[in-house]
Amino acid sequence: LWDRLRADFSLDHATEQKRVQTHRTWYLNNPDYIEKVFSRAEPYLYYIAEEIKARGLPMEFVLIPVVESMYNPKARSH
């Protein structure tokens, strides 16, 4: 599924920007966080990806819950 998702990514990721590099480095240095988030995402990811594709939205939108809730269905905003 991840290969399919990456193949459909279409936005400019501005990887040369310092802010993007800082966040990228943090994620690379915290593989446990990534593993935890994506194990939580597993029950939802396929459905979300299908809905994003059906609506013609950028596939990167599948990653919004990583930032918003870590794919935790019981997450609450402060």
Side-chain angles (χ1 to χ4, degrees):
L1 179 58
W2 283 107
D3 290 336
R4 192 182 114 218
L5 295 176
R6 274 191 298 272
D8 287 343
F9 284 178
S10 61
L11 298 177
D12 175 12
H13 297 122
T15 56
E16 71 285 346
Q17 291 184 11
K18 182 164 178 53
R19 186 172 175 187
V20 173
Q21 291 174 1
T22 299
H23 287 284
R24 181 181 182 274
T25 300
W26 188 89
Y27 285 116
L28 288 171
N29 289 330
N30 292 280
D32 293 343
Y33 174 86
I34 295 297
E35 189 172 321
K36 182 178 182 178
V37 169
F38 291 135
S39 70
R40 283 183 181 171
E42 193 172 346
Y44 313 104
L45 204 54
Y46 181 81
Y47 173 75
I48 292 170
E50 289 298 309
E51 291 299 314
I52 288 170
K53 189 169 192 128
R55 288 168 169 74
L57 298 169
M59 191 52 68
E60 286 88 344
F61 282 19
V62 77
L63 300 174
I64 290 174
V66 172
V67 175
E68 295 295 323
S69 67
M70 293 178 49
Y71 273 97
N72 178 353
K74 295 181 181 181
R76 298 182 66 88
S77 175
H78 299 276

